[in-house]
């Protein structure tokens, strides 16, 4: 997957309350693009991660409730970038942590 998301104006990620309105487009390995909605950005073990919800052709949330998780970075200019989580153990840990956030109500998706 590509590691450079396209974001809103100036490439800035807004405060948590405004994330629901931001869309990013991921460039896939097969050169296709997937539009996603940012669910949340969270920290685990000192690393930032981002949870993205792929959208369907009409720009609506996908029916499978599939969520994509990536490492999240901002460069010195505040430009965001994503990195695949290649390590299976790290991915499991982050997936479990994200599910705990959902269960604890630390983050709630708006309908």
């Amino acid at each position: 997957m590509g590691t450079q998301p396209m974001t809103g104006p100036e490439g800035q990620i807004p405060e948590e309350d405004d994330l629901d309105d931001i869309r990013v487009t991921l460039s896939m390995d097969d050169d296709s693009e997937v539009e996603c909605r940012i669910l949340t950005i969270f920290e685990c073990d000192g690393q930032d991660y981002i949870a993205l919800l792929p959208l369907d052709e009409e720009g609506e949330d996908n029916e499978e409730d599939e969520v994509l998780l990536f490492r999240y970075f901002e460069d010195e200019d505040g430009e965001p970038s994503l990195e695949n989580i290649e390590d299976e153990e790290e991915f499991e840990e982050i997936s479990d942590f994200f599910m705990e956030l959902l269960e604890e109500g630390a983050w709630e998706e708006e309908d």
Side-chain angles (χ1 to χ4, degrees):
M1 240 177 251
T3 58
Q4 192 64 268
M6 293 179 275
T7 60
E10 300 146 18
Q12 299 296 315
I13 299 294
E15 295 300 316
E16 182 80 21
D17 294 341
D18 299 325
L19 288 177
D20 194 46
D21 296 331
I22 300 297
R23 305 287 192 259
V24 296
T25 302
L26 299 177
S27 298
M28 308 303 279
D29 290 336
D30 65 359
D31 294 326
S32 65
E33 293 185 342
V34 176
E35 185 176 3
C36 301
R37 179 167 59 93
I38 297 175
L39 295 177
T40 190
I41 297 172
F42 60 97
E43 182 181 327
C44 182
D45 294 332
Q47 171 65 57
D48 288 333
Y49 294 90
I50 189 168
L52 302 174
L53 181 68
L55 303 175
D56 65 18
E57 296 81 30
E58 289 82 37
E60 300 295 323
D61 294 353
N62 71 68
E63 292 187 19
E64 294 86 33
D65 291 328
E66 173 187 25
V67 173
L68 304 175
L69 299 172
F70 296 92
R71 286 189 202 106
Y72 175 80
F73 301 94
E74 286 185 10
D75 66 17
E76 58 275 352
D77 296 325
E79 292 296 316
S81 64
L82 307 181
E83 183 178 281
N84 288 331
I85 303 170
E86 301 288 341
D87 181 72
E88 194 170 316
E89 279 186 39
E90 178 185 5
F91 185 80
E92 280 295 319
E93 177 183 354
I94 298 311
S95 295
D96 291 345
F97 186 82
F98 178 69
M99 292 306 295
E100 287 176 23
L101 288 177
L102 290 176
E103 291 170 6
E104 293 172 2
W107 170 81
E108 291 185 22
E109 180 180 358
E110 293 181 21
D111 292 313

CSV table of all heavy atoms in Angstrom, one decimal, residues 64-107:
chain,number,residue,atom,x,y,z
A,64,GLU,N,-19.0,-4.0,5.5
A,64,GLU,CA,-18.3,-5.0,6.3
A,64,GLU,C,-17.6,-4.5,7.5
A,64,GLU,O,-17.1,-5.2,8.3
A,64,GLU,CB,-17.1,-5.6,5.4
A,64,GLU,CG,-17.6,-6.4,4.2
A,64,GLU,CD,-17.9,-5.5,3.0
A,64,GLU,OE1,-17.2,-4.5,2.8
A,64,GLU,OE2,-18.8,-5.8,2.3
A,65,ASP,N,-17.7,-3.2,7.7
A,65,ASP,CA,-17.1,-2.5,8.9
A,65,ASP,C,-15.6,-2.8,9.0
A,65,ASP,O,-15.0,-2.9,10.0
A,65,ASP,CB,-17.8,-2.9,10.2
A,65,ASP,CG,-19.1,-2.3,10.3
A,65,ASP,OD1,-19.3,-1.2,9.8
A,65,ASP,OD2,-20.0,-2.9,10.9
A,66,GLU,N,-14.9,-3.0,7.8
A,66,GLU,CA,-13.5,-3.2,7.7
A,66,GLU,C,-12.8,-2.0,8.1
A,66,GLU,O,-13.1,-0.9,7.7
A,66,GLU,CB,-13.1,-3.6,6.3
A,66,GLU,CG,-11.7,-3.7,6.0
A,66,GLU,CD,-11.3,-3.9,4.6
A,66,GLU,OE1,-12.1,-3.5,3.7
A,66,GLU,OE2,-10.2,-4.4,4.3
A,67,VAL,N,-11.8,-2.1,9.0
A,67,VAL,CA,-11.0,-1.0,9.4
A,67,VAL,C,-9.5,-1.3,9.1
A,67,VAL,O,-9.0,-2.4,9.3
A,67,VAL,CB,-11.1,-0.8,11.0
A,67,VAL,CG1,-10.1,0.3,11.4
A,67,VAL,CG2,-12.5,-0.4,11.3
A,68,LEU,N,-8.8,-0.3,8.5
A,68,LEU,CA,-7.4,-0.4,8.2
A,68,LEU,C,-6.6,0.3,9.2
A,68,LEU,O,-6.9,1.5,9.6
A,68,LEU,CB,-7.2,0.2,6.8
A,68,LEU,CG,-8.0,-0.3,5.7
A,68,LEU,CD1,-7.7,0.4,4.4
A,68,LEU,CD2,-7.7,-1.8,5.5
A,69,LEU,N,-5.5,-0.3,9.7
A,69,LEU,CA,-4.7,0.3,10.7
A,69,LEU,C,-3.3,0.5,10.1
A,69,LEU,O,-2.7,-0.4,9.5
A,69,LEU,CB,-4.6,-0.6,12.0
A,69,LEU,CG,-5.9,-0.9,12.7
A,69,LEU,CD1,-5.7,-2.0,13.8
A,69,LEU,CD2,-6.4,0.4,13.3
A,70,PHE,N,-2.7,1.6,10.4
A,70,PHE,CA,-1.4,2.0,9.9
A,70,PHE,C,-0.6,2.7,11.0
A,70,PHE,O,-1.2,3.3,11.9
A,70,PHE,CB,-1.4,2.9,8.7
A,70,PHE,CG,-2.1,2.4,7.5
A,70,PHE,CD1,-3.4,2.5,7.3
A,70,PHE,CD2,-1.3,1.6,6.6
A,70,PHE,CE1,-4.0,2.0,6.1
A,70,PHE,CE2,-1.9,1.1,5.4
A,70,PHE,CZ,-3.3,1.3,5.2
A,71,ARG,N,0.7,2.7,10.9
A,71,ARG,CA,1.6,3.6,11.7
A,71,ARG,C,1.3,4.9,11.1
A,71,ARG,O,1.2,5.1,9.9
A,71,ARG,CB,3.0,3.2,11.6
A,71,ARG,CG,3.4,2.0,12.4
A,71,ARG,CD,4.9,1.8,12.4
A,71,ARG,NE,5.3,0.4,12.7
A,71,ARG,CZ,5.7,-0.4,11.8
A,71,ARG,NH1,6.0,0.0,10.6
A,71,ARG,NH2,6.0,-1.7,12.1
A,72,TYR,N,1.3,5.9,12.0
A,72,TYR,CA,1.1,7.3,11.6
A,72,TYR,C,2.2,8.2,12.0
A,72,TYR,O,2.7,8.1,13.1
A,72,TYR,CB,-0.2,7.8,12.2
A,72,TYR,CG,-0.5,9.3,11.9
A,72,TYR,CD1,-1.1,9.6,10.7
A,72,TYR,CD2,-0.2,10.3,12.9
A,72,TYR,CE1,-1.4,11.0,10.4
A,72,TYR,CE2,-0.5,11.6,12.6
A,72,TYR,CZ,-1.0,11.9,11.4
A,72,TYR,OH,-1.3,13.2,11.1
A,73,PHE,N,2.7,9.0,11.1
A,73,PHE,CA,3.8,9.9,11.3
A,73,PHE,C,3.5,11.3,10.8
A,73,PHE,O,2.7,11.4,9.8
A,73,PHE,CB,5.1,9.5,10.6
A,73,PHE,CG,5.6,8.1,11.0
A,73,PHE,CD1,5.2,7.0,10.3
A,73,PHE,CD2,6.4,7.9,12.2
A,73,PHE,CE1,5.6,5.7,10.7
A,73,PHE,CE2,6.8,6.7,12.5
A,73,PHE,CZ,6.4,5.6,11.8
A,74,GLU,N,4.1,12.3,11.3
A,74,GLU,CA,4.0,13.7,10.7
A,74,GLU,C,5.5,14.1,10.7
A,74,GLU,O,6.2,14.0,11.6
A,74,GLU,CB,3.2,14.6,11.6
A,74,GLU,CG,1.7,14.4,11.5
A,74,GLU,CD,1.0,15.5,12.3
A,74,GLU,OE1,1.5,16.5,12.7
A,74,GLU,OE2,-0.3,15.3,12.4
A,75,ASP,N,5.9,14.7,9.5
A,75,ASP,CA,7.2,15.2,9.4
A,75,ASP,C,7.3,16.6,10.1
A,75,ASP,O,6.4,17.1,10.7
A,75,ASP,CB,7.7,15.3,7.9
A,75,ASP,CG,6.9,16.3,7.1
A,75,ASP,OD1,6.2,17.2,7.6
A,75,ASP,OD2,7.0,16.2,5.8
A,76,GLU,N,8.5,17.2,10.0
A,76,GLU,CA,8.8,18.4,10.7
A,76,GLU,C,7.9,19.6,10.2
A,76,GLU,O,7.7,20.5,10.9
A,76,GLU,CB,10.3,18.8,10.6
A,76,GLU,CG,10.8,19.0,9.2
A,76,GLU,CD,11.2,17.7,8.6
A,76,GLU,OE1,11.3,16.7,9.2
A,76,GLU,OE2,11.5,17.7,7.4
A,77,ASP,N,7.3,19.4,9.0
A,77,ASP,CA,6.4,20.4,8.5
A,77,ASP,C,4.9,20.1,8.8
A,77,ASP,O,4.0,20.8,8.3
A,77,ASP,CB,6.6,20.6,7.0
A,77,ASP,CG,7.9,21.1,6.6
A,77,ASP,OD1,8.5,21.9,7.3
A,77,ASP,OD2,8.5,20.6,5.5
A,78,GLY,N,4.7,19.0,9.5
A,78,GLY,CA,3.3,18.6,9.9
A,78,GLY,C,2.6,17.8,8.8
A,78,GLY,O,1.4,17.5,8.9
A,79,GLU,N,3.4,17.4,7.8
A,79,GLU,CA,2.8,16.6,6.7
A,79,GLU,C,2.6,15.1,7.1
A,79,GLU,O,3.6,14.5,7.6
A,79,GLU,CB,3.7,16.6,5.4
A,79,GLU,CG,3.7,18.0,4.7
A,79,GLU,CD,2.4,18.4,4.2
A,79,GLU,OE1,1.7,17.6,3.6
A,79,GLU,OE2,2.0,19.6,4.4
A,80,PRO,N,1.4,14.6,7.0
A,80,PRO,CA,1.2,13.2,7.5
A,80,PRO,C,1.7,12.2,6.5
A,80,PRO,O,1.8,12.4,5.3
A,80,PRO,CB,-0.3,13.1,7.6
A,80,PRO,CG,-0.8,14.1,6.5
A,80,PRO,CD,0.2,15.2,6.5
A,81,SER,N,2.1,11.0,7.1
A,81,SER,CA,2.4,9.9,6.2
A,81,SER,C,2.0,8.6,7.0
A,81,SER,O,1.9,8.6,8.2
A,81,SER,CB,3.9,9.8,5.8
A,81,SER,OG,4.7,9.7,7.0
A,82,LEU,N,1.8,7.5,6.3
A,82,LEU,CA,1.4,6.3,6.8
A,82,LEU,C,2.4,5.2,6.5
A,82,LEU,O,3.1,5.3,5.4
A,82,LEU,CB,0.0,5.8,6.3
A,82,LEU,CG,-1.1,6.8,6.4
A,82,LEU,CD1,-2.4,6.2,5.8
A,82,LEU,CD2,-1.3,7.3,7.8
A,83,GLU,N,2.5,4.2,7.3
A,83,GLU,CA,3.4,3.1,7.1
A,83,GLU,C,2.7,1.8,7.4
A,83,GLU,O,2.0,1.7,8.5
A,83,GLU,CB,4.6,3.3,8.0
A,83,GLU,CG,5.7,2.2,7.8
A,83,GLU,CD,6.9,2.5,8.7
A,83,GLU,OE1,7.7,3.4,8.3
A,83,GLU,OE2,7.0,1.8,9.7
A,84,ASN,N,2.8,0.8,6.5
A,84,ASN,CA,2.2,-0.5,6.8
A,84,ASN,C,2.8,-1.1,8.1
A,84,ASN,O,3.9,-0.9,8.4
A,84,ASN,CB,2.4,-1.4,5.6
A,84,ASN,CG,1.6,-1.1,4.4
A,84,ASN,OD1,0.6,-0.5,4.5
A,84,ASN,ND2,2.2,-1.4,3.3
A,85,ILE,N,1.9,-1.8,8.8
A,85,ILE,CA,2.4,-2.6,9.9
A,85,ILE,C,2.7,-4.0,9.4
A,85,ILE,O,1.8,-4.8,9.2
A,85,ILE,CB,1.3,-2.6,11.0
A,85,ILE,CG1,0.9,-1.2,11.4
A,85,ILE,CG2,1.8,-3.4,12.2
A,85,ILE,CD1,-0.3,-1.2,12.3
A,86,GLU,N,4.0,-4.3,9.2
A,86,GLU,CA,4.4,-5.5,8.6
A,86,GLU,C,4.5,-6.6,9.6
A,86,GLU,O,4.3,-7.8,9.2
A,86,GLU,CB,5.8,-5.3,7.9
A,86,GLU,CG,5.8,-4.3,6.8
A,86,GLU,CD,5.0,-4.7,5.5
A,86,GLU,OE1,4.8,-5.9,5.3
A,86,GLU,OE2,4.7,-3.7,4.8
A,87,ASP,N,4.8,-6.3,10.8
A,87,ASP,CA,5.0,-7.4,11.8
A,87,ASP,C,3.7,-7.9,12.4
A,87,ASP,O,2.9,-7.1,12.8
A,87,ASP,CB,5.9,-6.8,13.0
A,87,ASP,CG,6.2,-7.8,14.1
A,87,ASP,OD1,7.0,-8.7,13.8
A,87,ASP,OD2,5.6,-7.6,15.2
A,88,GLU,N,3.5,-9.2,12.3
A,88,GLU,CA,2.2,-9.7,12.7
A,88,GLU,C,1.9,-9.5,14.1
A,88,GLU,O,0.8,-9.3,14.5
A,88,GLU,CB,2.2,-11.2,12.3
A,88,GLU,CG,0.8,-11.8,12.4
A,88,GLU,CD,0.8,-13.3,11.8
A,88,GLU,OE1,1.4,-13.5,10.8
A,88,GLU,OE2,0.1,-14.1,12.5
A,89,GLU,N,2.9,-9.7,15.0
A,89,GLU,CA,2.7,-9.4,16.4
A,89,GLU,C,2.3,-8.0,16.7
A,89,GLU,O,1.4,-7.7,17.5
A,89,GLU,CB,4.0,-9.8,17.2
A,89,GLU,CG,4.2,-11.2,17.5
A,89,GLU,CD,5.4,-11.5,18.4
A,89,GLU,OE1,5.6,-10.7,19.3
A,89,GLU,OE2,6.1,-12.5,18.1
A,90,GLU,N,3.0,-7.0,16.1
A,90,GLU,CA,2.6,-5.6,16.3
A,90,GLU,C,1.2,-5.4,15.8
A,90,GLU,O,0.4,-4.7,16.5
A,90,GLU,CB,3.6,-4.7,15.5
A,90,GLU,CG,3.2,-3.3,15.6
A,90,GLU,CD,4.1,-2.4,14.8
A,90,GLU,OE1,5.0,-2.9,14.0
A,90,GLU,OE2,4.0,-1.1,14.9
A,91,PHE,N,0.8,-6.0,14.6
A,91,PHE,CA,-0.5,-5.8,14.1
A,91,PHE,C,-1.6,-6.3,15.1
A,91,PHE,O,-2.6,-5.7,15.3
A,91,PHE,CB,-0.7,-6.4,12.7
A,91,PHE,CG,-2.0,-6.1,12.1
A,91,PHE,CD1,-2.2,-4.9,11.5
A,91,PHE,CD2,-3.0,-7.0,12.2
A,91,PHE,CE1,-3.5,-4.6,11.0
A,91,PHE,CE2,-4.3,-6.7,11.6
A,91,PHE,CZ,-4.5,-5.5,11.0
A,92,GLU,N,-1.3,-7.5,15.6
A,92,GLU,CA,-2.2,-8.1,16.6
A,92,GLU,C,-2.4,-7.2,17.8
A,92,GLU,O,-3.5,-7.0,18.3
A,92,GLU,CB,-1.8,-9.5,17.0
A,92,GLU,CG,-2.1,-10.6,16.0
A,92,GLU,CD,-3.6,-10.8,15.8
A,92,GLU,OE1,-4.3,-10.8,16.8
A,92,GLU,OE2,-4.0,-10.9,14.7
A,93,GLU,N,-1.2,-6.7,18.3
A,93,GLU,CA,-1.3,-5.8,19.5
A,93,GLU,C,-2.1,-4.6,19.2
A,93,GLU,O,-2.9,-4.2,20.0
A,93,GLU,CB,0.2,-5.5,19.9
A,93,GLU,CG,0.2,-4.5,21.1
A,93,GLU,CD,1.7,-4.1,21.4
A,93,GLU,OE1,2.6,-4.6,20.8
A,93,GLU,OE2,1.8,-3.2,22.3
A,94,ILE,N,-1.8,-4.0,18.1
A,94,ILE,CA,-2.5,-2.7,17.7
A,94,ILE,C,-4.0,-3.0,17.5
A,94,ILE,O,-4.9,-2.2,17.9
A,94,ILE,CB,-1.9,-2.1,16.5
A,94,ILE,CG1,-0.4,-1.7,16.8
A,94,ILE,CG2,-2.7,-0.8,16.0
A,94,ILE,CD1,-0.2,-0.9,18.1
A,95,SER,N,-4.3,-4.1,16.8
A,95,SER,CA,-5.8,-4.5,16.6
A,95,SER,C,-6.5,-4.7,17.9
A,95,SER,O,-7.6,-4.2,18.1
A,95,SER,CB,-5.9,-5.8,15.8
A,95,SER,OG,-5.3,-5.6,14.5
A,96,ASP,N,-5.8,-5.4,18.9
A,96,ASP,CA,-6.4,-5.6,20.2
A,96,ASP,C,-6.6,-4.3,20.9
A,96,ASP,O,-7.6,-4.0,21.6
A,96,ASP,CB,-5.6,-6.6,21.0
A,96,ASP,CG,-5.6,-8.0,20.5
A,96,ASP,OD1,-6.5,-8.3,19.6
A,96,ASP,OD2,-4.7,-8.8,20.9
A,97,PHE,N,-5.6,-3.4,20.9
A,97,PHE,CA,-5.6,-2.1,21.5
A,97,PHE,C,-6.8,-1.3,21.0
A,97,PHE,O,-7.5,-0.7,21.7
A,97,PHE,CB,-4.3,-1.4,21.4
A,97,PHE,CG,-4.2,-0.1,22.2
A,97,PHE,CD1,-3.9,-0.2,23.5
A,97,PHE,CD2,-4.4,1.1,21.6
A,97,PHE,CE1,-3.8,1.0,24.2
A,97,PHE,CE2,-4.3,2.3,22.3
A,97,PHE,CZ,-4.0,2.2,23.6
A,98,PHE,N,-6.9,-1.3,19.7
A,98,PHE,CA,-8.0,-0.5,19.0
A,98,PHE,C,-9.3,-1.0,19.5
A,98,PHE,O,-10.3,-0.3,19.8
A,98,PHE,CB,-7.8,-0.6,17.5
A,98,PHE,CG,-8.9,0.2,16.8
A,98,PHE,CD1,-9.0,1.5,16.8
A,98,PHE,CD2,-9.9,-0.5,16.1
A,98,PHE,CE1,-10.1,2.2,16.2
A,98,PHE,CE2,-10.9,0.1,15.4
A,98,PHE,CZ,-11.0,1.5,15.5
A,99,MET,N,-9.5,-2.4,19.5
A,99,MET,CA,-10.8,-2.9,20.0
A,99,MET,C,-11.0,-2.6,21.4
A,99,MET,O,-12.2,-2.3,21.8
A,99,MET,CB,-10.7,-4.5,19.8
A,99,MET,CG,-10.7,-4.9,18.3
A,99,MET,SD,-12.1,-4.2,17.4
A,99,MET,CE,-13.5,-4.9,18.1
A,100,GLU,N,-10.0,-2.5,22.3
A,100,GLU,CA,-10.2,-2.1,23.7
A,100,GLU,C,-10.7,-0.7,23.7
A,100,GLU,O,-11.5,-0.3,24.5
A,100,GLU,CB,-8.9,-2.3,24.4
A,100,GLU,CG,-8.5,-3.7,24.7
A,100,GLU,CD,-7.2,-3.8,25.4
A,100,GLU,OE1,-6.7,-2.8,26.0
A,100,GLU,OE2,-6.6,-4.9,25.3
A,101,LEU,N,-10.1,0.2,22.9
A,101,LEU,CA,-10.6,1.6,22.8
A,101,LEU,C,-12.1,1.7,22.5
A,101,LEU,O,-12.8,2.4,23.1
A,101,LEU,CB,-9.8,2.4,21.8
A,101,LEU,CG,-8.3,2.7,22.0
A,101,LEU,CD1,-7.7,3.5,20.8
A,101,LEU,CD2,-8.2,3.6,23.3
A,102,LEU,N,-12.5,0.9,21.6
A,102,LEU,CA,-13.9,0.8,21.2
A,102,LEU,C,-14.8,0.3,22.3
A,102,LEU,O,-15.8,0.9,22.7
A,102,LEU,CB,-14.1,-0.1,20.0
A,102,LEU,CG,-13.6,0.4,18.6
A,102,LEU,CD1,-13.8,-0.7,17.6
A,102,LEU,CD2,-14.2,1.7,18.2
A,103,GLU,N,-14.3,-0.7,23.0
A,103,GLU,CA,-15.1,-1.3,24.1
A,103,GLU,C,-15.2,-0.4,25.3
A,103,GLU,O,-16.2,-0.4,26.0
A,103,GLU,CB,-14.5,-2.7,24.5
A,103,GLU,CG,-14.7,-3.7,23.4
A,103,GLU,CD,-13.9,-5.0,23.7
A,103,GLU,OE1,-13.3,-5.1,24.7
A,103,GLU,OE2,-13.9,-5.9,22.8
A,104,GLU,N,-14.1,0.3,25.6
A,104,GLU,CA,-14.0,1.2,26.7
A,104,GLU,C,-14.7,2.5,26.5
A,104,GLU,O,-14.9,3.3,27.4
A,104,GLU,CB,-12.6,1.5,27.1
A,104,GLU,CG,-11.8,0.2,27.7
A,104,GLU,CD,-10.4,0.5,27.9
A,104,GLU,OE1,-9.9,1.7,27.6
A,104,GLU,OE2,-9.7,-0.4,28.2
A,105,GLY,N,-15.1,2.7,25.3
A,105,GLY,CA,-15.8,4.0,25.0
A,105,GLY,C,-14.8,5.2,24.9
A,105,GLY,O,-15.2,6.3,25.0
A,106,ALA,N,-13.5,4.9,24.9
A,106,ALA,CA,-12.5,6.0,24.8
A,106,ALA,C,-12.6,6.7,23.5
A,106,ALA,O,-12.3,7.8,23.3
A,106,ALA,CB,-11.1,5.4,24.9
A,107,TRP,N,-13.2,6.0,22.5
A,107,TRP,CA,-13.5,6.6,21.2
A,107,TRP,C,-14.8,6.0,20.7
A,107,TRP,O,-15.0,4.8,20.8
A,107,TRP,CB,-12.3,6.3,20.2
A,107,TRP,CG,-12.7,6.7,18.9
A,107,TRP,CD1,-12.6,7.9,18.3
A,107,TRP,CD2,-13.2,5.8,17.8
A,107,TRP,NE1,-13.1,7.9,17.0
A,107,TRP,CE2,-13.4,6.6,16.7
A,107,TRP,CE3,-13.5,4.5,17.8
A,107,TRP,CZ2,-14.0,6.1,15.5
A,107,TRP,CZ3,-14.0,4.0,16.6
A,107,TRP,CH2,-14.2,4.8,15.5
